[in-house]
Amino acid sequence: MLSYSAENHFGDILQIDNLWQFENLTKLQLDNNIIERIEALESLVHLVWLDLSFNNIEVIEGLDTLVKLQDLSLYNNRISKIEHMDTLHELQIFSIGKNNLTTLEDVIYLRRFKNLRTLNLSGNPFCDDEQYMLFVVAHLPDLVYLDFKLVSDTTREVAVLTYQDHTKPLEHEEAQALAQLEENQTKQKELEYHKAAFVEYLNGSFLFDSMYADDTEAAKLAHLPGVGDLLQAYRKEFVSVCENLFNYGLKEYEKREAEVSNFYESLHEALTANQQEGRKIILDFENRNKRTLDEIHHASSYDIAESKQAEYKEDILQLSEALMTLEMLISDQLEELLKKFKGNIAVIASTFIENVKGMMTQCRDLENHHHEKLLEISITTLEKSVKNELDEDLPDDVRMLLGDKTTIVNAVNASHGSRLLKIDKRESDILSNTDRWQASVTEKIFQNEIDRNRSRVKEIVQYIDNLQEELGNTEILDLTK
């Protein structure tokens, strides 16, 4: 990538704009203008150096996409707070002197920039604080230069001792925040892995809990005598099936990945061997014909020159046929390799789908069994209610369900139907994701081979054309004249 720099300083620029076309810009100098806002820099993602000093900027903003920025100057503006720089992880040099910074604690914000070594804050109101230097050095322990001066070891030691009661809690908080961030990143990475295996959230009770989420009828029915124990047993068995499916899904994912990896390895080996053979054919041709064109040009007679030219033409033709034959051979070889791969993928996918269907059928069977038991309990409870034989004190909304058989049966059936739909939906998601993966991976591989073949044939034709053109441009000296 080419790098570019742009300068426009000592001018009258009021607004930053029209920079979208300079996406490869690495250096931008807009100092000594009358710019009031940092804006329109979104496209400059490769920017490393930015100078906006001596302007009228009041707020730090608009820097989010400048993730490669290393050197930033906002010197001599009207900024009152250090903020909105979170994405500038590469920042090494920062100048924000001669602004309106009044709160020394704002410097703590800069602790997030682990590569920051040079900082200029001179000329801000808070620099008048007698503890200014010690505060900054203590809270930014990796600084090498502060306000154009090297930070001495003595200053650093005094600063650490003076503010250790302030910095220790900060370090503890940052360590906790970092640990939490790493934990979240690990969980996200793990979730992406589970999604790639099509079994996300099946390693626990998520599916079971989602079946009961927002099901008000199920919540009421849970108050019926005996339903609590029934639910507990159902949950345990259902989650066990989900976890079996989860573990199976991860194993199948690894099998799919291994199949794809083995295919690409075989593909690479075949192409490498073919390319080596092609290079050998071309090298043999070039070695045979190193001096041919020169010999044609300086032949002792016109007839000899024409004869050598004809031989060279024939050699070029044979070279073309050899390279095209080699391409046909590799094309046929890869076609067989692709067919075999497609067949293997189809078997892996169909086997996975059938086993998923089997496990989801287990889930439905458990739900149907639970439904039958719940229906029995509900009707028995209704009969006891009618006879005033209920010992339990049930909530009013639950007692309303026990008004008649139709009401309680409808409630149980509605809840059951809702849960079955969620089981069906989860199964459908896994199957459709598997189908999409199978189609995507095979289509990509077949398309890559089509593109490779076309590119190679074009390359051969171009090479042969160049040889023939070179031969055509070789002048034959007519020594009979």
Side-chain angles (χ1 to χ4, degrees):
M1 182 190 72
L2 294 174
S3 63
Y4 302 92
S5 64
E7 298 182 9
N8 197 322
H9 48 110
F10 294 100
D12 57 354
I13 296 176
L14 176 64
Q15 183 177 13
I16 305 172
D17 57 12
N18 297 321
L19 292 175
W20 57 268
Q21 56 191 318
F22 303 108
E23 59 181 24
N24 289 327
L25 207 65
T26 58
K27 180 178 179 180
L28 179 60
Q29 188 167 1
L30 294 172
D31 61 303
N32 287 280
N33 283 286
I34 51 174
I35 296 169
E36 295 181 348
R37 287 191 63 189
I38 305 174
E39 57 187 342
L41 301 177
E42 296 83 5
S43 61
L44 307 184
V45 295
H46 298 294
L47 208 61
V48 174
W49 191 93
L50 175 61
D51 185 357
L52 290 170
S53 59
F54 296 94
N55 278 287
N56 298 328
I57 299 167
E58 295 185 0
V59 177
I60 301 176
E61 58 186 339
L63 302 174
D64 293 351
T65 62
L66 310 186
V67 295
K68 295 185 178 181
L69 199 64
Q70 297 177 8
D71 190 326
L72 173 62
S73 178
L74 297 172
Y75 186 81
N76 205 323
N77 277 280
R78 302 172 181 178
I79 298 166
S80 58
K81 186 175 179 63
I82 303 174
E83 58 185 345
H84 303 150
M85 297 168 57
D86 295 25
T87 60
L88 309 186
H89 303 299
E90 303 298 319
L91 192 64
Q92 299 175 17
I93 301 171
F94 183 38
S95 177
I96 192 169
K98 290 201 74 175
N99 274 275
N100 297 330
L101 301 177
T102 58
T103 306
L104 202 50
E105 285 71 18
D106 282 356
V107 172
I108 296 173
Y109 177 86
L110 299 175
R111 286 176 64 88
R112 69 196 64 212
F113 304 116
K114 304 305 178 184
N115 297 313
L116 185 62
R117 297 294 179 269
T118 301
L119 176 65
N120 175 28
L121 298 168
S122 62
N124 280 288
F126 63 28
C127 295
D128 295 334
D129 190 314
E130 61 181 15
Q131 294 297 313
Y132 158 71
M133 179 174 287
L134 294 180
F135 183 93
V136 174
V137 172
H139 288 85
L140 303 176
D142 294 321
L143 271 187
V144 178
Y145 295 97
L146 174 61
D147 298 343
F148 310 108
K149 295 179 182 178
L150 181 70
V151 178
S152 68
D153 291 339
T154 303
T155 300
R156 202 179 303 279
E157 290 170 5
V158 173
V160 169
L161 288 173
T162 303
Y163 285 97
Q164 59 183 344
D165 290 341
H166 293 79
T167 56
K168 291 294 182 184
L170 276 177
E171 290 169 2
H172 180 67
E173 289 175 14
E174 289 166 352
Q176 284 185 320
L178 180 61
Q180 184 63 54
L181 176 63
E182 290 174 349
E183 183 182 346
N184 292 341
Q185 289 174 338
T186 299
K187 286 181 179 178
Q188 185 59 36
K189 188 176 180 181
E190 195 174 63
L191 176 59
E192 293 303 320
Y193 173 53
H194 297 166
K195 284 182 177 179
F198 315 136
V199 291
E200 66 274 17
Y201 301 121
L202 288 176
N203 55 331
S205 62
F206 180 84
L207 178 56
F208 184 87
D209 295 339
S210 71
M211 286 159 50
Y212 282 88
D214 304 320
D215 188 343
T216 55
E217 300 301 326
K220 295 174 187 176
L221 293 168
H223 289 282
L224 298 181
V227 173
D229 293 338
L230 182 69
L231 264 175
Q232 191 174 356
Y234 175 34
R235 177 191 177 95
K236 183 178 179 181
E237 291 181 276
F238 191 95
V239 170
S240 177
V241 174
C242 287
E243 289 178 341
N244 288 339
L245 175 54
F246 173 79
N247 292 325
Y248 171 70
L250 294 185
K251 289 179 182 177
E252 286 298 299
Y253 170 72
E254 295 300 333
K255 187 184 293 185
R256 293 195 297 271
E257 288 293 289
E259 184 64 35
V260 173
S261 177
N262 289 339
F263 166 78
Y264 277 111
E265 188 175 332
S266 300
L267 179 69
H268 177 71
E269 288 176 0
L271 286 173
T272 299
N274 180 267
Q275 289 162 1
Q276 289 174 348
E277 181 63 24
R279 282 194 289 269
K280 182 178 181 299
I281 290 172
I282 291 173
L283 188 61
D284 288 345
F285 169 83
E286 291 176 346
N287 286 336
R288 284 196 311 272
N289 295 282
K290 266 182 182 178
R291 301 179 181 177
T292 302
L293 295 177
D294 193 50
E295 289 173 354
I296 292 171
H297 184 67
H298 296 97
S300 59
S301 72
Y302 190 82
D303 290 343
I304 292 174
E306 278 196 321
S307 175
K308 285 187 175 291
Q309 190 179 56
E311 289 176 8
Y312 192 39
K313 283 181 180 178
E314 181 61 28
D315 215 5
I316 291 174
L317 181 60
Q318 289 178 3
L319 172 64
S320 176
E321 290 176 351
L323 292 176
M324 286 299 186
T325 299
L326 191 63
E327 176 55 28
M328 287 174 61
L329 288 173
I330 188 63
S331 186
D332 290 343
Q333 184 182 349
L334 295 185
E335 185 178 357
E336 289 302 314
L337 189 63
L338 263 64
K339 285 180 179 178
K340 182 181 177 182
F341 172 73
K342 186 177 182 180
N344 291 346
I345 286 296
V347 171
I348 289 174
S350 62
T351 302
F352 178 64
I353 285 172
E354 287 306 309
N355 286 328
V356 167
K357 286 180 177 178
M359 293 185 194
M360 296 308 287
T361 296
Q362 291 180 41
C363 290
R364 274 187 286 270
D365 289 344
L366 288 171
E367 169 56 31
N368 289 331
H369 176 72
H370 172 74
H371 171 63
E372 291 171 5
K373 293 293 183 183
L374 181 59
L375 199 55
E376 288 177 12
I377 291 175
S378 299
I379 291 173
T380 299
T381 305
L382 172 63
E383 291 171 350
K384 286 184 177 181
S385 177
V386 170
K387 298 176 183 178
N388 291 320
E389 295 177 356
L390 273 179
D391 296 328
E392 292 80 8
D393 185 17
L394 300 175
D396 292 342
D397 56 349
V398 178
R399 287 190 174 276
M400 288 181 67
L401 288 178
L402 300 173
D404 57 69
K405 186 175 181 179
T406 300
T407 302
I408 191 69
V409 169
N410 286 344
V412 174
N413 287 341
S415 184
H416 172 56
S418 172
R419 290 193 293 277
L420 283 177
L421 283 174
K422 290 184 178 180
I423 294 172
D424 292 344
K425 175 67 166 58
R426 191 66 183 91
E427 179 184 32
S428 175
D429 288 345
I430 296 175
L431 301 189
S432 60
N433 284 335
T434 305
D435 288 338
R436 276 196 295 270
W437 170 81
Q438 182 183 355
S440 173
V441 73
T442 52
E443 285 173 10
K444 178 184 177 183
I445 287 171
F446 274 88
Q447 187 59 52
N448 285 347
E449 170 51 19
I450 291 171
D451 294 342
R452 184 209 65 79
N453 175 253
R454 287 175 179 168
S455 176
R456 180 54 179 163
V457 169
K458 184 178 179 181
E459 188 179 70
I460 293 171
V461 170
Q462 184 64 52
Y463 179 64
I464 298 301
D465 285 348
N466 290 342
L467 290 174
Q468 291 173 336
E469 183 181 353
E470 187 178 18
L471 177 61
N473 291 334
T474 302
E475 182 183 357
I476 299 176
L477 296 177
D478 191 349
L479 302 177
T480 62
K481 294 182 179 179

